[in-house]
Amino acid sequence: MRPIIFLSEMDFSQSNLFGYIEDLQELTIIERPVRRSLKTPEEIERLTVDEELSDIERAVYLLSSGQDIQGTSVVANLPVLMRQNPAETLRRVLPKIREVLHVAGVEMQLTAAVSFLTVLQEESVSIHTYSHSFLHIILQNLEHRDAGVSNAWLETLLAVIEALPKETLRHEILNPLVSKAQLSQTIQSRLVSCKIMGKLANKFEAHIIKRDILPLVKTLCHDVEYEVRTCMCRQLEHIAQGVGSELTKTVVLPELVELSRDEGSSVRLAAFETLVNLLDMFDADDRGQTVLPLVKSFCEKSFKSDESILVSLSFHLGKLCNGLYGIFTPEQHLRFLEFYKKLSTLGLQQENGHSDNQVQLQTLEQEKKYISVRKNCAYNFPAMIVFVDPKNFHLELYSIFFCLCHDPEVPVRYTMAVSFYEVAKLLNSGVYTIHKELVTLLQDESLEVLDALVGHLPEILELMTNGGENSGSESKLLSIPDLIPALTTAEQRAATSLKWRTHEKLLQKYACLPHIISSDQIYYRFLHRMLTIILTNNVLPVQKAAARTLCVYLRYNRKQEQRHEVIQKLIEQLGQGKSYWNRLRFLDTCEFIMELFSKSFFCKYFFLPVLELTHDPVANVRMKLCYLLPKVKSTLKIPTDKHLLQQLELCIRKLLCQEKDKDVLTIVKRTVLELDRMEISVDAFQKRFYENDLLDQEKERQEQLLLEMEQLEKEKQQNDGRSTNINDKMFEKKRRDSKTSSVLAKSITLSVPGTSSGTSAGKEKKSKLVRSQSFSTQALHPKYSNIDKCPNKSSATGYTSSVSGMGKSCMLSFSDDSFRTHSTGNSGNAAFSSSSSSRNIFNSSDQKNSGNKESQSRRMSM
């Protein structure tokens, strides 16, 4: 059909006019089948059923005189009828279904197989009743001429075999199986017999299997049709598990050896895969004398004359090498390793510059096979590291690892990205040797590869920065110099693509970076980028992921000036932005602030900007704010925040009096009732708010610690400029001992602010200085914190955190023992005495005692 042309551009010349007429004729042809599909009155009459009939009567009527589509509907509704009235369904409906299935089409047969299986799974009737009523119907339709129908009934039968008692299995299935497995039967019947025997092998004792089933197994293993031999060969794994190791050695293994030399390639492939799966059942003698020669023969023939087994061999090679590891000689060990290396680069050395079309077609078919082989080698790479020992990785496997990570085909690189974390875990202290490949995969041109790598990116970066032998607080990025450019490039590529889920996932995983890189690097390379995404991106999940990651970066930023700048931008560009969409994202960001920061932090910086949105001209913004108000109120503490509570009540009164939008007013009234039922925590200790106060106090202590560390670092820099030779030696010694700073920090405890005595000021100052050197390396340790998930912890007194309406609170612990809450030796009031005193933690009052701290620092350095 020609493209539609607008009226202003139409050319009504004679030549074009005939074209428009043809288009109209095509449109009429499209409509004709629709008109023909309408039912005539006679057809409608035949499809009409009396509404007064019961479900059982209607089902019987439709099965007797209805059309095929109506009968199929009744069969599909069989599980419902069995739940409602099983007795009548078995007495009246099931016999009709049995009659109809003899002449039913493929669709009704498939529907019946699924319905029978559903009845079994729902246990609508006892297994005895089921076998008496349904089993014969299943067996009758098992050899349907349509292969799809036969397989559907076979799957139903195999599920029924799991539930049937042994006596029923013996009389109804095993005894008729002897005749069904004979050569006189059809191929379909013999294939069904193979699969049934594999299922029955786990239902009977070994002596019954040896007497009744094994003779049939041997007969089918020597069947004249290669399809039957292949099917029976794959069932030998189940047969071996049923008969045990002794009969497996004497009966099953000889059959596998013979089938491995079969003339049919599919039979040889099935024999090889069954051998690999049964390795655990063979003893050392069988592995060395029987299995190993067969495997060597498969490996040699795979390149020369039997490429059909090459893909399967590459897939099972890791399992095969580790299963035969104990019987390998050094020469055989080296031979299998070289074989793996050859498979890993298969097809990369060949040139496709031939001019003959036949050769090119053959090369294309081989290329697909070679890609599958290299993909399987990438899948088996962790197993091969275990095979050669991680200590020998750089010498034996690094070149192959490099080739697979730089493979020209996306499926190979994707598989390497999926298994990269497993490789990093196996290498442990030697993980720094693969940092270049990490950067390469982060910058991969395919977003599929990036998406596969990002799944375990926090764990990989954790191993990269802390798993190496030369890891330390001062040398976190020495092993990955190109990490930051690679991370920024990956994010920009994901942002410019249409795969927003990959972008969202990437932003969520980037929340781990405060543990990986320094606060300044995050501020200059990532933090502002997150704000830009919130302001400019059009995908809501991406914006929310960027907002939460930005809040995490703000949470662990170590400079007060930078924190104030980001807070100001959030309020001005989001909370007071011209676009209502930005103001909605500001409310989302405030939810993350309440989750990650202390109540005092939110009340100081974001409480009033949030309340200002009650006057927003857009109804959606006011509505979203009303939903958020209970969480906002839960951040208040009385009497410290009494003036903020008054502002909240004033805004709610204005909403009740001035709101004109009906939907918003409904939400406001509902919110007012919820706010009235809420209880506000007070500065003093209260049992019902125990857990929330405990979490909030820990967050306040961490925020206060950031300020104190910033002040101590400034004083340390000032002292460095005026230090004497003795001080120079002291600081030089500290730099030499920087690798052990994290260990020292674990042994130093920090008391709750306001409870320390004057005599311990020097020790406390020294411990804070040590923590200032190791805080960024411990802020997000995965063993002690979880940013992405906020566990719902229960306190010892049994009170939950849902009392104050905050929902789940996220307690970000630190690896330093001093960051944990200390309850021993302090009373309840003492434990919470700092809640109100630390409220103004980000103001200029942090420098009140700078003179005393400076003198104490000098005395400590002396």
Side-chain angles (χ1 to χ4, degrees), residues 156 250 370 385 506 719 853:
T156 302
T250 58
Y370 293 160
I385 293 179
L506 195 71
N719 292 336
K853 292 182 178 180

CSV table of all heavy atoms in Angstrom, one decimal, residues 156 250 370 385 506 719 853:
chain,number,residue,atom,x,y,z
A,156,THR,N,1.9,-35.4,31.2
A,156,THR,CA,0.9,-35.6,32.3
A,156,THR,C,1.1,-36.9,32.9
A,156,THR,O,1.0,-37.1,34.2
A,156,THR,CB,-0.5,-35.5,31.7
A,156,THR,OG1,-0.7,-34.2,31.1
A,156,THR,CG2,-1.6,-35.6,32.7
A,250,THR,N,28.2,-52.8,36.2
A,250,THR,CA,28.1,-54.1,35.4
A,250,THR,C,27.2,-54.0,34.3
A,250,THR,O,27.4,-54.8,33.3
A,250,THR,CB,27.7,-55.2,36.4
A,250,THR,OG1,26.5,-54.9,37.0
A,250,THR,CG2,28.8,-55.4,37.5
A,370,TYR,N,31.4,-22.3,16.1
A,370,TYR,CA,32.6,-21.9,16.8
A,370,TYR,C,32.2,-20.8,17.9
A,370,TYR,O,32.8,-20.8,19.0
A,370,TYR,CB,33.6,-21.3,15.9
A,370,TYR,CG,34.2,-22.3,14.9
A,370,TYR,CD1,34.8,-22.0,13.7
A,370,TYR,CD2,34.1,-23.7,15.2
A,370,TYR,CE1,35.4,-22.9,12.9
A,370,TYR,CE2,34.6,-24.6,14.4
A,370,TYR,CZ,35.3,-24.3,13.2
A,370,TYR,OH,35.8,-25.2,12.4
A,385,ILE,N,39.7,-22.4,36.3
A,385,ILE,CA,40.5,-21.8,37.3
A,385,ILE,C,40.8,-22.8,38.4
A,385,ILE,O,41.9,-22.9,39.0
A,385,ILE,CB,40.0,-20.5,37.8
A,385,ILE,CG1,40.0,-19.4,36.7
A,385,ILE,CG2,40.7,-19.9,39.0
A,385,ILE,CD1,39.4,-18.1,37.1
A,506,LEU,N,22.2,0.5,36.7
A,506,LEU,CA,23.6,1.0,36.9
A,506,LEU,C,23.6,2.1,38.0
A,506,LEU,O,24.5,2.1,38.8
A,506,LEU,CB,24.0,1.6,35.5
A,506,LEU,CG,25.5,1.9,35.4
A,506,LEU,CD1,26.3,0.6,35.3
A,506,LEU,CD2,25.7,2.8,34.1
A,719,ASN,N,48.7,22.0,61.5
A,719,ASN,CA,49.8,21.6,62.4
A,719,ASN,C,51.0,21.1,61.5
A,719,ASN,O,52.1,21.3,61.9
A,719,ASN,CB,49.4,20.5,63.3
A,719,ASN,CG,48.4,21.0,64.4
A,719,ASN,OD1,48.4,22.2,64.7
A,719,ASN,ND2,47.6,20.1,64.9
A,853,LYS,N,41.0,22.5,70.9
A,853,LYS,CA,41.3,21.3,70.1
A,853,LYS,C,42.7,21.4,69.5
A,853,LYS,O,43.5,20.5,69.4
A,853,LYS,CB,40.3,21.1,69.0
A,853,LYS,CG,38.9,20.7,69.5
A,853,LYS,CD,38.0,20.4,68.3
A,853,LYS,CE,36.6,20.0,68.8
A,853,LYS,NZ,35.7,19.7,67.7
